[in-house]
Amino acid sequence: MKRIVTVLITAVLLVVCASCSSEDGGTPERDTSQVIIAISSEPETLDPCKGWGHGFTPLVQSTLVEYRQDMSIANDLATDYTLSDDRLTWTFRIRDDAYFTDGEQLTAADVAFTFNTAKDEQTTLDLSYLESAVAVDEFTVEFRLTRAHSTFINTVASVGIVPEHAYSEDYGTNPIGSAAYKFVQWNPGEQIILEANPDYYGDVPAIERVVLVFMDADAALAAVRAGQVDVALTSATLADQEIEGYRLVAVTSMDNRGLTLPVNKDEGETTPDGYPIGNDVTGCIEIRKALAYGIDRERVAADALNGYGDPSYSENDGMPWHNPETEIATDVEYAKSLLAEAGWADTDGDGIVEKDGLKAEFTCLYPSGDTVRQAVAMAAAEQARELGISIVVDGTSWDDIDRRMFSSAVLMGWGSTDPYTTYCLYHSSYALRDDYYNPENYRSSITDDYLESALAAATQEEANEYWKLAQWDGENGPSMCGDCPWVWLVNVQHLYYVADGLDIGEQMLHPHGADWPLIQNLREWSWTES
């Protein structure tokens, strides 16, 4: 089946590229009116009400606000917004020159309809705290919340506005929007085609046509070698090749990989679904902190990612709410002293420390088939053994991980432009749920208080200070300085082969996932002299 899909995609590319081939059959000449981008993940829908665009720019729909390069918030459809004194009502004024691509004007009614519909859909977008969205007049919309939620503005930045008059069950496969690009065609399993929107209220993009083709890393590399695509996502293991007509672009990310470590010992408890909770080895804080201080993150990046990675210290490295005090230096001797002082020693000479007959050994799970996670886990395990700790790396299915993540380590990955991720990772209410946020069962009333204060904050600046304190206040917190339910390892760099002469603009710090963050600034791309 994989070969059939690859052949079909290749056929599509040949048709797409026919107009850019040279007459003598030599190197293709670039059609600078378009760009062809190979990505690995096909969306399930292009409907923002059903999760499309959550965490990145939705491309064909406009948002009320958007992120600047420094991850601060700027107006897009909105011209202004205010927050009431009780922090329960957000009021947005929107521009009067935005039109959907069917010619209908975008109004506050469309905004209210979008958010109310998204709330009812109950997808990956959490709007449970939204009581209602109301169009006060043609260009003013109010969002009434059931509780203060400072990260609502981050949610607003990723919800594309849909047209109430043209919304139907098939909207997700044939969307109408008001953004810089308009939807043209979707061939499932093959490609999505977009075109520049000539009636866009902002600067119309220089690139008139965009073709997104879906293919895995191997097929994408083959397409690059054949000159059939202009941009292709690649992996660290494939990024060592020089290809004529292309350059390798490495984009810094906060797309992190790290170890989740159950913080409780195994006392025979189970989750409501009957899955075991706790681990006698990772339940010892000195084991967790020895790993945190004893593993050299630069070495992990070199060994597992061919150097295409950066040290990770938290779930939000580089964000305005990142606490720099969580950034610890590698100190192998300190790590070993933590173990020795707690009574761990290699009494039988096998290289693994033990205490009261318990070997410092545990299993780390990763999703089989994910070569990056496997490589990172193996590199971390190699260094852990030098500390006297044995990590057994086990590739398995996500279904199996769902059952075992409360009692075993997992090589997990996060990275979000929304600080609410910090809340989900560390708040007690998220412990032992089935959504991967807090399988370690980390609970702290001190951390909970900081997280609640961050949500209730009146400004982003005030909220950011509480997010930082929630990570580490100098004495308490879930960071590696403190209770250490996570050992953060690396932020993977996102790697792309980019055709010479194509300017992909200044990339923002990429969140988790390397495909869609690349094109969140698509309207700024252009062809220049190669």
Side-chain angles (χ1 to χ4, degrees):
M1 177 61 74
K2 180 179 177 181
R3 182 177 182 277
I4 293 172
V5 171
T6 301
V7 170
L8 286 172
I9 291 174
T10 301
V12 170
L13 283 171
L14 289 173
V15 172
V16 168
C17 293
S19 63
C20 61
S21 298
S22 61
E23 293 182 1
D24 61 2
T27 302
E29 296 179 3
R30 303 289 178 188
D31 178 357
T32 57
S33 68
Q34 70 172 8
V35 64
I36 305 171
I37 307 168
I39 59 177
S40 61
S41 60
E42 182 173 9
E44 295 181 3
T45 179
L46 298 179
D47 184 352
C49 299
K50 296 183 178 179
W52 164 247
H54 188 203
F56 57 88
T57 303
L59 292 182
V60 296
Q61 295 96 0
S62 302
T63 54
L64 289 176
V65 297
E66 60 185 3
Y67 289 107
R68 294 189 181 99
Q69 189 66 37
D70 63 358
M71 302 310 296
S72 61
I73 300 293
N75 289 330
D76 185 7
L77 285 173
T79 59
D80 186 30
Y81 62 90
T82 58
L83 178 61
S84 63
D85 290 341
D86 63 6
R87 302 168 195 176
L88 296 179
T89 303
W90 294 74
T91 304
F92 286 78
R93 287 285 299 172
I94 67 172
R95 60 196 310 149
D96 61 5
D97 60 348
Y99 290 82
F100 293 108
T101 52
D102 64 356
E104 293 292 324
Q105 189 171 31
L106 188 154
T107 69
D110 297 300
V111 177
F113 172 81
T114 298
F115 278 82
N116 289 327
T117 303
K119 176 190 175 182
D120 292 342
E121 289 289 345
Q122 297 183 347
T123 59
T124 55
L125 191 66
D126 181 13
L127 287 172
S128 58
Y129 55 89
L130 175 64
E131 180 179 288
S132 64
V134 178
V136 177
D137 59 39
E138 191 173 14
F139 298 110
T140 306
V141 62
E142 280 187 359
F143 298 99
R144 299 165 185 172
L145 312 186
T146 58
R147 63 186 178 109
H149 213 288
S150 62
T151 66
F152 178 64
I153 193 65
N154 301 89
T155 297
V156 169
S158 64
V159 178
I161 305 306
V162 305
E164 182 177 13
H165 68 275
Y167 189 80
S168 63
E169 281 300 314
D170 67 347
Y171 179 85
T173 58
N174 190 27
I176 293 172
S178 58
Y181 279 95
K182 62 181 180 179
F183 173 83
V184 175
Q185 181 178 332
W186 185 354
N187 303 109
E190 297 176 5
Q191 65 180 359
I192 288 176
I193 299 175
L194 309 174
E195 289 181 356
N197 178 8
D199 299 317
Y200 179 54
Y201 49 83
D203 294 332
V204 177
I207 294 177
E208 299 171 12
R209 189 168 185 261
V210 177
V211 182
L212 306 172
V213 293
F214 311 119
M215 53 179 63
D216 62 25
D218 290 333
L221 184 60
V224 168
R225 287 183 180 137
Q228 295 174 333
V229 298
D230 302 309
V231 183
L233 171 66
T234 193
S235 65
T237 56
L238 299 175
D240 59 349
Q241 305 178 45
E242 292 187 8
I243 301 176
E244 185 179 359
Y246 292 84
R247 67 192 185 278
L248 182 71
V249 175
V251 179
T252 303
S253 84
M254 56 166 170
D255 190 353
N256 48 60
R257 301 293 183 271
L259 301 172
T260 62
L261 301 172
V263 299
N264 303 110
K265 295 186 178 181
D266 182 1
E267 297 180 353
E269 294 181 278
T270 62
T271 69
D273 292 322
Y275 305 144
I277 297 171
N279 184 294
D280 287 339
V281 177
T282 66
C284 298
I285 191 170
E286 64 271 14
I287 293 286
R288 304 195 300 273
K289 296 194 76 166
L291 292 170
Y293 282 91
I295 291 178
D296 184 336
R297 290 160 180 79
E298 294 278 6
R299 183 175 152 195
V300 172
D303 293 346
L305 303 172
N306 290 333
Y308 294 115
D310 303 289
S312 176
Y313 303 101
S314 74
E315 74 284 358
N316 53 40
D317 297 329
M319 290 289 100
W321 51 91
H322 171 66
N323 186 341
E325 293 184 9
T326 63
E327 300 175 14
I328 60 176
T330 303
D331 191 334
V332 173
E333 293 309 311
Y334 175 62
K336 290 180 176 179
S337 71
L338 288 173
L339 296 173
E341 290 170 5
W344 294 89
D346 179 12
T347 57
D348 57 10
D350 67 351
I352 305 303
V353 297
E354 60 185 53
K355 177 180 179 181
D356 300 330
L358 176 66
K359 285 283 186 183
E361 181 175 275
F362 62 90
T363 298
C364 173
L365 308 173
Y366 75 92
S368 56
D370 190 325
T371 56
V372 169
R373 296 195 196 208
Q374 179 188 33
V376 171
M378 295 294 289
E382 180 180 353
Q383 292 194 49
R385 193 169 186 87
E386 296 169 7
L387 301 172
I389 300 172
S390 173
I391 300 178
V392 179
V393 178
D394 182 10
T396 186
S397 67
W398 276 112
D399 286 343
D400 190 39
I401 292 173
D402 289 347
R403 295 187 288 269
R404 298 167 61 190
M405 64 183 176
F406 310 105
S407 57
S408 295
V410 180
L411 202 290
M412 201 76 82
W414 289 103
S416 170
T417 55
D418 189 337
Y420 193 62
T421 296
T422 296
Y423 186 98
C424 299
L425 286 173
Y426 303 130
H427 196 275
S428 299
S429 64
Y430 276 80
L432 303 180
R433 293 180 14 166
D434 60 0
D435 49 19
Y436 305 115
Y437 279 113
N438 188 357
E440 322 91 74
N441 198 23
Y442 175 74
R443 300 170 189 264
S444 166
S445 59
I446 296 173
T447 300
D448 287 352
D449 286 345
Y450 285 135
L451 294 171
E452 294 293 346
S453 295
L455 281 189
T459 66
Q460 295 301 297
E461 292 74 20
E462 179 187 353
N464 287 345
E465 291 308 307
Y466 281 116
W467 294 125
K468 292 175 184 178
L469 290 171
Q471 297 160 63
W472 180 240
D473 67 2
E475 295 182 358
N476 305 281
S479 76
M480 292 184 292
C481 308
D483 295 322
C484 197
W486 272 83
V487 171
W488 302 96
L489 296 171
V490 290
N491 292 312
V492 299
Q493 293 177 7
H494 293 168
L495 305 172
Y496 312 91
Y497 281 108
V498 180
D500 292 341
L502 178 61
D503 181 358
I504 61 171
E506 186 178 1
Q507 292 286 313
M508 288 185 251
L509 188 64
H510 282 196
H512 187 57
D515 282 323
W516 299 102
L518 168 71
I519 54 179
Q520 61 189 352
N521 70 333
L522 188 58
R523 69 191 187 201
E524 299 171 9
W525 291 21
S526 64
W527 285 98
T528 61
E529 293 296 328
S530 60

